[in-house]
Structure formats: structure tokens, C-alpha cells
Amino acid sequence: MSFASLWESLLPIGRDAGTGGYRRYSWTPADAECRRWFFETAAERNLRADADRNGNLWAWWDVPWADSEAAVVTGSHLDSVPDGGAYDGPLGVVTAFAAIDLLRERGLAPVRPLAVAAFCEEEGARFGVACLGSRLLADAIDPARARALTDAGGTTFAAAMTAAGHDPAALGPDPGLLAGVGAYVELHIEQGCALAGMDAAIGVAERIWPHGRWRLTFTGRADHAGTTRLGDRRDPMLAAAATVLAARGAAARHGALATVGKLTVDPGAVNAISSSVTTWLDARAPDEARLRALVDDVLTQARTAAVAHGVTLDHAQESVTQAVDFDAALRDRMVAALAAAGIRAPVLPTGAGHDAGVLAAWVPTGMLFVRNPTGVSHSPAEHAEPGDCLTGVTALAAVLTDLACS
Ligand code: GLV
Ligand code: MN
Ligand code: MN
């Protein structure tokens, strides 16, 4: 099976030697190398590869006599969170190419077009909005807003895309492309360890929790750390700290999850009270009412903390993804195809976001999970055993055989 060599060829790209984590951010040199890898991998397989107007990559196994039939698409993303693991995203792209190889080894060919996709800026690690490429494709974000998104250095998405040789004027919904897709199946490393507890290598996704990102900026007054009396301070760090703790408490009260994993401090001097602190809240809940209640609770406490410390609060919702129930018919069909291939696959919910969740508004989508023994993800410690990855290829090939070859 070709999985191991494909995996090895992608592995060095964008890995930081110091942390062992991946820094594959959109439109950077590491991203360009990943894109080159995608095109070369497609070319080696005689798949027709192109980038769509939103920077998403597609590798097509064309079926000229059946090109009017809706395609079956599989894939994931190649970008990473800061110091992310090797598997989140790439596992879905590599298994997709390896599953195509397996179909060919078995002498199978699709009776409708079959494609591998790699979506742009899925993690939102550089420009802040998760699943940006699939959102643009699926009309779930205004292209003008996407063009104006900035990274930490102030570079806009449009400028970064232009520098990488893509035209940002073309960004936006592509109903024609979506209309040609009959099903999208994304294989992904499990982000949790439920499968390990069930002694199963493969799972099938049931639904994605609603989730989103909020920015909270507290602005106070910079001053001297050694001379400003405690009572005279307007320290935004104190309001930010209270909000981080409030998020944790609110998450526990609402049966949800809340995380502040990113914070910027200005001006960032050891011996100065900061002038402003920006925190980003990642919030997720089993249903939309609980997500709303959680975020309202955190914002109320953030406002109270701001008043208590004499600072101002400015906040904005950066992205929200509603709850996604994956297509039940496709899910049942995948479970049946896996069972026929001798693979028991429990059905699981997930708190992680995916392009399959965004595309679900337009196209029947489904997901396969590959067991993660520790459950750790968004970390260099993320891992799947090689044998489970190979079972992932076999599982995906079984699903593609059912959806595309019959
Ligand atoms: C993507 O991995 C997300 O859920 O943030
Ligand atoms: Mn991720
Ligand atoms: Mn992912």
C-alpha cells in the first residue's frame, strides 16, 4: 500500500525542528510546499489537479462518459494550528490518495467523477476564521470580509493570496463547482479517545457541536510597574485574567467547553502595566442555546471585570458554525459499507470543526475517524498508529467503492 511513502514525503514540510510541531499556515512557503506536494502526488496518479477560485485544491479522476454525474469527493486540509500535529488534516488527504491507489490495485474504476480535495485555511491559524476556504466556496462568508482579514503582522488575506500567485478578486461562492459534488467524505484523526475505549480503529461522525470564536480587547492605561500605586492602576491584564477564569467556570456551569488559547499584550513590557490585552475565546457546546448562554455569561463577566478594573471592553464574534448533523443516509451507507469490509465503526459526535461541517449545508457529507490512542490533538503529541492509518485507507476505499464505483 502506498500510504507509508506518501506520508513520509509530506512529513518534513513545515515541521519546526525545535518543537516537532507543524507551522503550515496559508500562503506561506510551507503552504506552497504542501501545495506542490499535492500537485505532484496528483500528477503521479494521472489525476487532473487545479486550485479553485478560493485557493482550495482538487485532484480529479475524471470519468469522461459520466462527467454529468455528481462527483464523490474526499479529502481534508493541509494547513495546521501553531505547532500542530502531523495528522489533523493531512491524514485525510494522504489516505484519500492512498485509497485511490488501492482502488486501482483492485482493478476498480469510478463510474462517476472522484476527487481529492484539500481546503484552504481550515484552522484559521493565520487569518482567524476557521474553514475559510470551504466557507468561501459555500457562500458562508462575505468575500470582501475574507479579503480584508489580517494576520498578526497586518498582512491581508488578499495580499497574502496575491503574493502566492492567486487572484483574490475571484474569491467567493462557487455554486457550479458545488452542484457537481454529490457527496463529500472526510477522513480525520479522532480528536478525543472514544475509539480507544471502544476498541475500534475507525469511527463514523454523527454530528458536530456548534462552536465559534470571539475576540475581546480590554484597553486600559500603560504605566510604570514600580511607581504606580495599586489603587491608581487601570490594568487590562486583570480584566483579561478574570475573563479567562470566568470562561472556565461558565463552561462547567453550562456543560460546555470554553478555551482562551491566544492572547496578545501591548506593549508587552515586563516592567510596565499593559495598555491593552486581547484574548480570543473559543466556545463549543452540545446545542446552540447552551453555546449562546455560555458566551453571554462570559461576556457579562468580562464587562463586570472591565468596570471593576477601570478599563474598556470591545468584543466581536469572529466566526460561528451552527450544529451540524451529518447526512443520516450517507452515514448509514458508510457504516454498512464498512461492515461489509469487516470494519466495525461506532458512530460518534465531535466537538471539533471541519470543512465537512461547512459543506454539509450544500452537499451530503460524512466523516470517518481514525483512532487516536491518547486523544491529544492540536499538539505535536497527536498520534495514530500506522496500522490504524492503513485501516483508515481500507475503510475509505470501501466507502469510495460503494459511493463512486457502483
Ligand atoms: C478545528 O480543528 C477546530 O475545531 O478548531
Ligand atoms: Mn484542527
Ligand atoms: Mn482538521
Side-chain angles (χ1 to χ4, degrees), residues 6-401:
L6 269 175
W7 186 250
E8 289 300 320
S9 64
L10 182 61
L11 216 49
I13 302 176
R15 182 165 52 194
D16 182 78
T19 63
Y22 287 86
R23 299 177 182 180
R24 292 174 177 156
Y25 310 136
S26 315
W27 308 124
T28 61
D31 181 60
E33 270 194 79
C34 287
R35 287 169 179 269
R36 236 184 339 268
W37 173 91
F38 185 95
F39 280 102
E40 283 168 14
T41 304
E44 282 161 13
R45 288 161 177 76
N46 290 318
L47 303 174
R48 178 180 54 86
D50 53 24
D52 68 18
R53 56 197 298 177
N54 297 303
N56 306 310
L57 303 178
W58 302 77
W60 293 94
W61 186 347
D62 292 315
V63 182
W65 66 89
D67 265 354
S68 55
E69 279 219 44
V72 175
V73 181
T74 183
S76 190
H77 60 97
L78 295 172
D79 65 317
S80 76
V81 297
D83 282 333
Y87 298 81
D88 176 356
L91 186 61
V93 180
V94 173
T95 51
F97 283 118
I100 284 182
D101 291 346
L102 190 54
L103 296 187
R104 287 175 171 170
E105 268 170 52
R106 291 175 176 168
L108 294 166
V111 295
R112 53 190 60 84
L114 176 57
V116 179
F119 290 97
C120 179
E121 182 76 359
E122 192 272 352
E123 298 288 7
R126 182 169 179 194
F127 293 99
V129 175
C131 298
L132 187 58
S134 56
R135 272 183 213 273
L136 282 159
L137 168 65
D139 201 11
I141 185 169
D142 176 4
R145 182 181 164 219
R147 276 190 280 271
L149 290 170
T150 52
D151 69 7
T155 302
T156 62
F157 187 78
M161 192 173 179
T162 305
H166 292 258
D167 179 10
L171 287 175
D174 199 335
L177 177 56
L178 277 177
V181 178
Y184 175 65
V185 176
E186 179 167 352
L187 179 145
H188 205 277
I189 186 161
E190 184 192 8
Q191 295 169 296
C193 54
L195 290 174
M198 296 177 200
D199 198 23
I202 303 294
V204 173
E206 179 193 39
R207 66 191 302 269
I208 300 181
W209 281 17
H211 57 282
R213 298 175 180 194
W214 287 260
R215 176 188 55 74
L216 293 85
T217 301
F218 299 93
T219 303
R221 189 187 61 220
D223 214 331
H224 196 291
T227 60
T228 316
R229 290 179 306 183
L230 293 179
D232 293 341
R233 297 178 179 214
R234 288 172 44 212
D235 186 348
M237 183 62 82
L238 298 175
T243 302
V244 172
L245 296 175
R248 171 63 186 238
R253 272 194 304 285
H254 294 282
L257 297 169
T259 308
V260 178
K262 178 175 168 184
L263 165 156
T264 59
V265 181
D266 284 313
V270 176
N271 54 353
I273 296 158
S274 30
S275 55
S276 75
V277 175
T278 298
T279 59
W280 280 266
L281 171 73
D282 176 304
R284 310 186 188 221
D287 56 65
E288 267 133 35
R290 262 190 276 188
L291 180 65
R292 196 66 261 163
L294 165 66
V295 174
D296 287 348
D297 191 339
V298 177
L299 290 177
T300 300
Q301 295 190 67
R303 275 186 215 103
T304 304
V307 170
H309 295 288
V311 304
T312 60
L313 168 63
D314 172 64
H315 63 85
Q317 176 182 295
E318 292 200 329
S319 65
V320 160
T321 304
Q322 310 303 328
V324 174
D325 287 297
F326 286 110
D327 188 84
L330 177 58
R331 189 178 63 224
D332 292 348
R333 199 168 159 178
M334 291 199 303
V335 171
L338 294 171
I343 299 170
R344 179 176 64 86
V347 175
L348 310 170
T350 177
H354 300 284
D355 297 304
V358 174
L359 298 179
W362 286 78
V363 169
T365 65
M367 291 191 72
L368 298 176
F369 293 129
V370 170
R371 171 166 53 194
N372 176 339
T374 62
V376 173
S377 186
H378 284 182
S379 148
E382 181 180 84
H383 182 69
E385 291 297 333
D388 286 349
C389 295
L390 295 185
T391 307
V393 176
T394 311
L396 186 58
V399 167
L400 297 180
T401 301

